[in-house]
Amino acid sequence: MRVLIAGSSGALARQVALLLKSRGHEVIGLDRRPWRDAPEGIEVFETDVRKRAAEDVFRTRKPECVVHMATVNALTAGGDERARINVGGTKSLFEHAVNHGVKHVVFVGRHTYYGASADSPLYHTEDEPPHGIGSFPELADLVAADLYAANALWREPGLVTTVLRLVYTLGPSQQGTLASFLRGKRVPLVLGYDPLFQFLFESDAARAIALSVEQRVKGIYNVCGPNPVPLRLIVEHTGRTAVPIPEPLLRGLLGRFGLPRLPAGALEHIKFPIVVDGKAFRRATSFSHEVDEVECLQRYRLLTGR
């Protein structure tokens, strides 16, 4: 199968590309960032998915499946630029797919779509709306991109659309939301809170995405693996020191004294859990994780030398 990966220079996207290539698929990369050491056999085009040059890739290479991993999750990126990339880029990708005969689009979103709040359910299922966006506006463009992709299920019935809401990842790249939060020696917790976190080892996350490509599952799916773990245990088992801080004080300390730089709304995500139900994806694809929560944290600690 000829698969185009938008956002192919990202750490997890590279793993997906290599895995699909190893399984015999023809892989094409598309990203405005370079992938200088891309292996032979993976053709990479350095352009923004919103540009005319990206549409030319669709027109000339005629991919059968497109994996959209070109959204931006970095909370330090400017709001206007994030919205242009996440919402505008998603819209352009689906338009190119429809106009140039793509059969299947996989949108790789995040489980943070559901938001963290005091009244959110214990387990989120795929039919729930987002929560807590009012307190965390930085999530709004990612939610809008997810909703646009999900709407394609009805808007474009001839296109097989898969929307994946993937939990946090940890692994060799040491990139991603959770890895960024764990980057320092001291990791802040909001005093009095210890939420459950879900995560996958990167190789398991890449395999889940590859399965959705190969099995052409249609619909919206939460993707998770090991049991959720309290944040304090994640911090301690990866060799960091948990520092509980009263919330009013923590708001003023973010980005200082070695603490991570986070927008104020992100504090809700280290107070309240976002735990998703992944049974539907497991039923549709027979996916099961290979790295459990204990081994994942042990591996990550070794990878980061703690």
Side-chain angles (χ1 to χ4, degrees), residues 82-271:
R82 278 171 50 97
R84 283 194 291 269
I85 293 171
N86 291 341
V87 182
T90 299
K91 183 175 183 291
S92 294
L93 183 142
F94 274 92
E95 289 175 350
H96 298 337
V98 171
N99 292 337
H100 297 285
V102 173
K103 298 175 182 177
H104 182 199
V105 174
V106 178
F107 174 87
V108 182
R110 286 101 171 149
H111 79 316
T112 47
Y113 161 92
Y114 297 107
S117 62
D119 58 351
S120 61
L122 181 60
Y123 284 95
H124 294 280
T125 58
E126 289 84 351
D127 58 354
E128 290 177 24
H131 291 270
I133 303 305
S135 62
F136 196 2
E138 290 82 1
L139 275 181
D141 49 273
L142 286 171
V143 169
D146 184 295
L147 292 173
Y148 188 90
N151 187 256
L153 288 161
W154 295 271
R155 189 179 63 247
E156 302 293 344
L159 177 68
V160 176
T161 300
T162 308
V163 176
L164 303 180
R165 293 173 183 162
L166 193 70
V167 298
Y168 297 124
T169 58
L170 288 173
S173 76
Q174 299 177 41
Q175 295 184 24
T177 301
L178 181 55
S180 296
F181 187 62
L182 296 172
R183 190 151 290 149
K185 294 180 180 179
R186 295 180 297 277
V187 179
L189 275 65
V190 179
L191 184 66
Y193 295 88
D194 190 12
L196 293 171
F197 268 49
Q198 278 176 303
F199 50 87
L200 276 168
F201 199 66
E202 287 175 349
S203 58
D204 279 331
R207 195 163 47 81
I209 295 168
L211 278 172
S212 72
V213 169
E214 293 175 336
Q215 299 191 22
R216 296 187 69 192
V217 291
K218 185 174 184 177
I220 302 169
Y221 298 96
N222 296 326
V223 182
C224 59
N227 294 319
V229 177
L231 180 56
R232 180 187 291 272
L233 289 181
I234 294 172
V235 173
E236 293 173 353
H237 283 271
T238 54
R240 280 78 175 163
T241 300
V243 184
I245 303 173
E247 185 174 356
L249 179 60
L250 180 55
R251 289 180 182 274
L253 293 177
L254 290 172
R256 303 167 61 191
F257 307 110
L259 299 179
R261 181 184 174 190
L262 297 171
L267 291 182
E268 298 298 292
H269 288 243
I270 57 173
K271 289 171 59 181

Side-chain angles (χ1 to χ4, degrees), residues 3-7 16 20 65-70 93 104-108 209 213:
V3 183
L4 185 149
I5 300 177
V16 174
L20 288 171
C65 177
V66 173
V67 182
H68 183 19
M69 302 182 71
L93 183 142
H104 182 199
V105 174
V106 178
F107 174 87
V108 182
I209 295 168
V213 169

